[in-house]
Amino acid sequence: MAVDPEFVEHVLDLFSGLGPLRTGRMFSGVAVYAEEDAMFAMIAASQVVYMKSDETTRPAYEAAGAEPFCYTRGTGERQVTSLMSLPDSAMDDAAEALDWARLSLGPAREAAARKRAEKARKVARKAAVG
């Protein structure tokens, strides 16, 4: 199932206060990026928005009733606690959605920095071998 383009536009409008956003593919959904490479949200094919989280932000999401992203593999269901659902109340409230997005930017920036560092290590190893 694909993500409804109108739903993607609605979500991008909710988060537009962050500045320029871009999207990309993620699982069977759409990843939402701010600041070039900080993936702070994912729109699932089920039309649920999941926000980047970590051990410091997850309690706030849980207190608001958020659920982790789940998927099923041959080995059973898996939970991805680094992606927590955007509280329902934020889906119709741009100010609230923006507050959650700003909360998710911290973990998103950290994940992007780790990814950049790993990529740089791989390039350096390849250069050393080549």
Side-chain angles (χ1 to χ4, degrees):
M1 172 190 336
V3 178
D4 177 8
E6 288 182 23
F7 187 71
V8 173
E9 285 304 314
H10 172 67
V11 172
L12 292 176
D13 285 345
L14 286 174
F15 298 139
S16 64
L18 288 180
L21 303 173
R22 73 174 178 87
T23 60
R25 297 180 78 186
M26 183 174 186
F27 299 112
S28 60
V30 176
V32 183
Y33 297 86
E35 302 172 356
E36 296 295 319
D37 63 349
M39 194 284 300
F40 71 95
M42 180 192 76
I43 307 167
S46 61
Q47 313 297 62
V48 175
V49 179
Y50 291 93
M51 307 299 291
K52 188 71 172 168
S53 69
D54 63 12
E55 61 282 343
T56 64
T57 62
R58 194 171 308 116
Y61 280 103
E62 290 170 341
E67 298 285 331
F69 175 68
C70 295
Y71 64 96
T72 303
R73 297 193 78 168
T75 56
E77 186 175 275
R78 294 188 180 211
Q79 288 189 351
V80 181
T81 58
S82 63
L83 291 169
M84 299 293 290
S85 61
L86 180 65
D88 290 338
S89 58
M91 289 304 299
D92 295 316
D93 183 339
E96 182 183 353
L98 198 53
D99 286 343
W100 289 110
R102 287 184 179 121
L103 181 67
S104 289
L105 274 177
R109 287 175 181 135
E110 290 175 19
R114 285 191 304 272
K115 195 171 189 179
R116 284 191 303 271
E118 180 59 30
K119 191 173 189 177
R121 281 191 293 275
K122 285 181 182 179
V123 168
R125 278 188 294 228
K126 190 173 183 180
V129 173

